[in-house]
Amino acid sequence: MYIETERLIIRDLQIEDELAYITMASDGSLNDCGFDKDCGKWIFHWITEARKLAYLDNPLKEFLAYTVCLKNENIVIGSVGCSYYEDLYETGITYFIGSQYRNKGYATEAVQAYVNYFLSHYDVPRLIATVRDENISSWKVVERIGFVLTEKRMYKDLNDDKEEFYHFYELKKE
């Protein structure tokens, strides 16, 4: 997969992206996304699995993950894609931007480009977003793109240690 925006390139993961993700996770700012300081122990396997899933190209399977790069510098700054929520029977947007690249509109630009691709490429009627209550930046990103808040409630994502308060959003295919 390859998407080009004004400032970004969204592309398939490459094994060479490993160091960039480890570096981004080293400050602890990606813990909520599952990329902890110890991700160097498992990132190679995650990238390998993500590449296999991208080849299968099915958003109703585990996940699809792609690398977000700055177009002019070819620097890896994050990831965007989707995950299938087995407990909700829904596909949800997933994304992160490394802390040094935040507050520059990159997340909104990457998520908007991926959502446009997703809704035109797959026969899935809607995309959801689940965002922890305290992650104000992330709910602002999905709201800017047009996701609609459907509910707020306690929820324990399969990767969470405990139940937390979440905002649930949806974006329906037109």
Side-chain angles (χ1 to χ4, degrees), residues 85 87-88 153-157 160 163-164 166 168:
Y85 289 75
D87 56 336
L88 301 174
R153 66 177 166 93
M154 295 299 288
Y155 175 65
K156 183 181 179 294
D157 185 88
D160 289 344
E163 194 173 56
E164 296 189 49
Y166 272 83
F168 287 79

Side-chain angles (χ1 to χ4, degrees), residues 69-123:
C69 300
L70 291 178
K71 182 165 46 175
N72 294 332
E73 294 106 84
N74 197 28
I75 296 171
V76 174
I77 65 165
S79 179
V80 67
C82 62
S83 284
Y84 186 73
Y85 289 75
E86 294 174 10
D87 56 336
L88 301 174
Y89 307 104
E90 297 276 2
T91 302
I93 188 75
T94 58
Y95 59 94
F96 65 80
I97 298 293
S99 60
Q100 74 183 84
Y101 303 103
R102 292 181 187 158
N103 301 313
K104 295 173 174 45
Y106 295 134
T108 301
E109 190 172 335
V111 172
Q112 180 69 69
Y114 183 75
V115 165
N116 291 346
Y117 170 84
F118 182 94
L119 293 174
S120 67
H121 188 75
Y122 300 110
D123 187 25

Side-chain angles (χ1 to χ4, degrees), residues 16-168:
E16 299 78 33
D17 297 335
E18 180 179 26
L19 182 58
Y21 287 126
I22 292 168
T23 301
M24 280 187 267
S26 68
D27 67 2
S29 67
L30 300 180
N31 288 350
D32 280 354
C33 307
F35 285 76
D36 58 19
K37 292 179 181 183
D38 295 328
C39 74
K41 296 176 183 174
W42 51 262
I43 194 75
F44 175 82
H45 298 291
W46 179 80
I47 290 173
T48 302
E49 181 180 10
R51 289 171 54 87
K52 289 177 186 173
L53 291 168
Y55 176 78
L56 296 173
D57 197 27
N58 184 350
L60 303 178
K61 292 278 185 192
E62 295 177 47
F63 66 93
L64 296 172
Y66 303 97
T67 296
V68 177
C69 300
L70 291 178
K71 182 165 46 175
N72 294 332
E73 294 106 84
N74 197 28
I75 296 171
V76 174
I77 65 165
S79 179
V80 67
C82 62
S83 284
Y84 186 73
Y85 289 75
E86 294 174 10
D87 56 336
L88 301 174
Y89 307 104
E90 297 276 2
T91 302
I93 188 75
T94 58
Y95 59 94
F96 65 80
I97 298 293
S99 60
Q100 74 183 84
Y101 303 103
R102 292 181 187 158
N103 301 313
K104 295 173 174 45
Y106 295 134
T108 301
E109 190 172 335
V111 172
Q112 180 69 69
Y114 183 75
V115 165
N116 291 346
Y117 170 84
F118 182 94
L119 293 174
S120 67
H121 188 75
Y122 300 110
D123 187 25
V124 176
R126 71 185 194 145
L127 193 57
I128 67 165
T130 59
V131 183
R132 286 194 184 111
D133 184 59
E134 72 273 2
N135 194 345
I136 297 167
S137 295
S138 278
W139 26 284
K140 285 183 178 181
V141 166
V142 296
E143 287 174 0
R144 272 187 219 111
I145 290 163
F147 279 79
V148 175
L149 181 65
T150 58
E151 67 177 314
K152 297 177 185 180
R153 66 177 166 93
M154 295 299 288
Y155 175 65
K156 183 181 179 294
D157 185 88
L158 297 176
N159 297 316
D160 289 344
D161 292 329
K162 61 183 174 138
E163 194 173 56
E164 296 189 49
F165 199 69
Y166 272 83
H167 294 213
F168 287 79

